[in-house]
Structures are given as structure tokens and as C-alpha cells.
Amino acid sequence: MPLSVPTWPELLGGARHSAIHLEMRDSYAVDYEEGPFAQWRAGFRHDPADRESWWRPWLDLIQGTVGRGVVVRRARIVSEPVSEYTRFLYDGTFTNIAAGEQVRWLPRRRASDIALPGNDFWLIDGRLIRWNHFTGDGASAGGEISENRAAAKLCADAFKEVWARAVPHENYKIT
């Protein structure tokens, strides 16, 4: 019987030691007409001094998770030159870091020999996986929860290798 997918506050609220996230797509649910990506394309940029205007409640959840002592790391595998959407993510990543996440970027060409899962994921405490499924155009196709030990090991090993090769956000320069 499949496990029910917890909400993000439930998932991260249950983390005790670590929450790692691997992103492998060059775009996600891009809406060219409205929303944050469209605003960014029109020239909007977050003001580093105006923390209240940033992506809430997500950043509050991350800040609270990190505040409990959970290490939250995000790695992004990206094609180079980067997509317009990746530029959008890059420009806003300072908000993730301000909330307490550690973020690294790995050029896709440096990931060719890493055994990677077929989907983006969150791995909580090395045992609970939240698979993120997407449609071909990047829209969310829902999440799935797994406690499969072999899959958790694949995710942990893949993330460890990606993390070791990836460039910390403050040193990564987009091309």
C-alpha cells in the first residue's frame, strides 16, 4: 500500500538530522504570462534588505527546520549555458541561503558518470524519500513517498557524489 504524501511542514517537520534535495531539470512549471517567473522576466528582483517580500511560507519553513538543527542542502544539476529559468532560480537563490539552506550547482557535463535516480527528490534523514514527479512541460505531477531502502541508498549516494563535485552557490558563475 502506498504511503500518503505528507505536507511540506509535516515532511520537514519530521526531519531530525538532514533534508537533502536534488533538482535535475532545466525548468519547472514555467508560466511565461504571470507569476514569479514572468515578473522576473519583466525585471523584478528580490531586494536582499526586504526579507518579508520573499517566498513565504516556504522560507519560514526552511528557517525553522534549520533552526532545529537539521542540515538542509539543495543541489542543482544544470545544463550550460543555463536556461532562462535556471537564471531565474540563480537570481533568487540568495533567499534560500538566507533561510539556512546550503546550495550547490553542478554542470550537467560533470554528472555524466553519476548513477542518478529518474526523478528529483527530497531525502529526509537518509531514509524517507519524497519523489517529485513532473510532466514534460515541468508542471507538477504530484509527489510520492517511499521508504524503500535501496532507493534511499541510491538517492543518498547520488547526492553525495553530486555534492562533492558541485560548486557552492557563492562560487558558481552562470554561463
Side-chain angles (χ1 to χ4, degrees):
M1 179 161 111
L3 299 173
S4 64
V5 178
T7 65
W8 290 110
E10 290 169 341
L11 184 68
L12 292 175
R16 291 188 174 139
H17 309 288
S18 66
I20 58 175
H21 182 37
L22 183 60
E23 297 177 356
M24 298 180 281
R25 297 179 56 93
D26 287 320
S27 70
Y28 294 86
V30 175
D31 186 338
Y32 289 96
E33 303 300 323
E34 58 186 56
F37 182 65
Q39 293 166 356
W40 177 85
R41 290 180 89 210
F44 172 81
R45 298 299 183 267
H46 286 290
D47 178 355
D50 185 11
R51 293 177 68 106
E52 292 305 312
S53 70
W54 301 349
W55 187 23
R56 305 288 180 190
W58 178 256
L59 295 173
D60 294 327
L61 177 59
I62 294 299
Q63 191 170 17
T65 302
V66 170
R68 292 191 337 269
V70 176
V71 176
V72 179
R73 297 184 295 164
R74 177 186 305 258
R76 293 178 170 139
I77 298 174
V78 295
S79 299
E80 291 180 326
V82 300
S83 69
E84 184 181 31
Y85 188 85
T86 297
R87 287 182 186 280
F88 161 69
L89 288 177
Y90 182 86
D91 282 351
T93 295
F94 77 91
T95 65
N96 298 81
I97 292 168
E101 279 190 54
Q102 300 171 39
V103 180
R104 292 188 181 182
W105 303 81
L106 180 64
R108 192 171 307 282
R109 70 179 179 279
R110 295 185 55 211
S112 296
D113 62 345
I114 301 173
L116 297 167
N119 293 291
D120 290 11
F121 65 85
W122 280 87
L123 180 62
I124 307 300
D125 294 332
R127 62 166 192 79
L128 181 66
I129 308 162
R130 186 199 194 274
W131 299 111
N132 293 333
H133 299 294
F134 296 95
T135 64
D137 63 3
S140 176
E144 178 184 358
I145 294 295
S146 173
E147 292 181 316
N148 179 287
R149 288 181 183 170
K153 182 178 181 339
L154 171 65
C155 290
D157 291 348
F159 190 88
K160 181 179 179 181
E161 188 62 31
V162 167
W163 193 256
R165 296 180 189 193
V167 179
H169 177 73
E170 60 273 11
N171 297 330
Y172 183 69
K173 305 300 177 215
I174 58 173
T175 59

